[in-house]
C-alpha cells in the first residue's frame, strides 16, 4: 500500500507565503513525477506544478514566478513554496505521486493525497 499525505496548509493574508509538503510512503521502489493540483469551490481540479525524479519542473501560468516546487528523493517528499499569495489561490491543494512499486514495474501507479486547505484573505 502507498500513502500520500499533505501538510502545511492554512490561512494567510494576501501577499503572504506558505509552504506545503507531501510525503509518499509505503511499498515504494521509486516515486517518479510528483505534482500539485488545486480545486477551488465550484471549480474543477487544476494543475499547479510538477517535478520529475531528475528535478525538471513545470508550472501553470497562474503560478509561475510565485510558486516553487522542489523535492527530496531520499524522503519521497515534494514541497510547494507559495509566495505572494492572492485570494484566487484559495483552494484545496492536492499532491500527486507517480509510483513505481518494484524494480520490475513497467508503469507507474498514480496516487493522490487527501488535500490540504489553503485560504488567502484579502
Amino acid at each position: 500500500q502507498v500513502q500520500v499525505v499533505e501538510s502545511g496548509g492554512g490561512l494567510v493574508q494576501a501577499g503572504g507565503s506558505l509552504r506545503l509538503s507531501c510525503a509518499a510512503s509505503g511499498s515504494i521502489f521509486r516515486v517518479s513525477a510528483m505534482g500539485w493540483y488545486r480545486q477551488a469551490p465550484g471549480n474543477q481540479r487544476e494543475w499547479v506544478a510538477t517535478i520529475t525524479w531528475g528535478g525538471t519542473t513545470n508550472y501553470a501560468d497562474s503560478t509561475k514566478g510565485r510558486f516553487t516546487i522542489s523535492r527530496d528523493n531520499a524522503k519521497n517528499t515534494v514541497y510547494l513554496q507559495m509566495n505572494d499569495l492572492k485570494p484566487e489561490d484559495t483552494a484545496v491543494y492536492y499532491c500527486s505521486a507517480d509510483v513505481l512499486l518494484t524494480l520490475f514495474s513497467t508503469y507507474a501507479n498514480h496516487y493522490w493525497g487527501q488535500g490540504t486547505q489553503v485560504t488567502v484573505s484579502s
Side-chain angles (χ1 to χ4, degrees):
Q1 287 283 23
V2 174
Q3 297 80 42
V4 177
V5 179
E6 304 100 333
S7 61
L11 173 64
V12 64
Q13 289 188 333
S17 298
L18 279 175
R19 188 190 194 211
L20 305 182
S21 300
C22 168
S25 63
S27 182
I28 296 172
F29 169 69
R30 174 174 291 181
V31 182
S32 53
M34 301 188 80
W36 290 95
Y37 293 73
R38 65 187 182 185
Q39 187 168 17
N43 291 355
Q44 292 189 337
R45 190 173 298 188
E46 65 173 358
W47 169 67
V48 173
T50 53
I51 185 168
T52 66
W53 168 264
T56 300
T57 60
N58 284 286
Y59 297 91
D61 288 343
S62 60
T63 64
K64 201 173 295 184
R66 299 187 299 123
F67 291 9
T68 302
I69 189 171
S70 60
R71 65 186 290 171
D72 183 334
N73 289 337
K75 297 180 180 179
N76 291 329
T77 298
V78 63
Y79 307 96
L80 186 68
Q81 178 66 44
M82 305 184 293
N83 298 328
D84 190 22
L85 283 161
K86 304 176 181 180
E88 51 264 42
D89 294 317
T90 295
V92 177
Y93 283 69
Y94 295 92
C95 174
S96 71
D98 292 334
V99 177
L100 298 171
L101 298 179
T102 75
L103 173 65
F104 306 104
S105 295
T106 56
Y107 61 89
N109 291 274
H110 189 79
Y111 296 89
W112 291 99
Q114 81 289 350
T116 186
Q117 177 70 46
V118 171
T119 302
V120 184
S121 63
S122 57

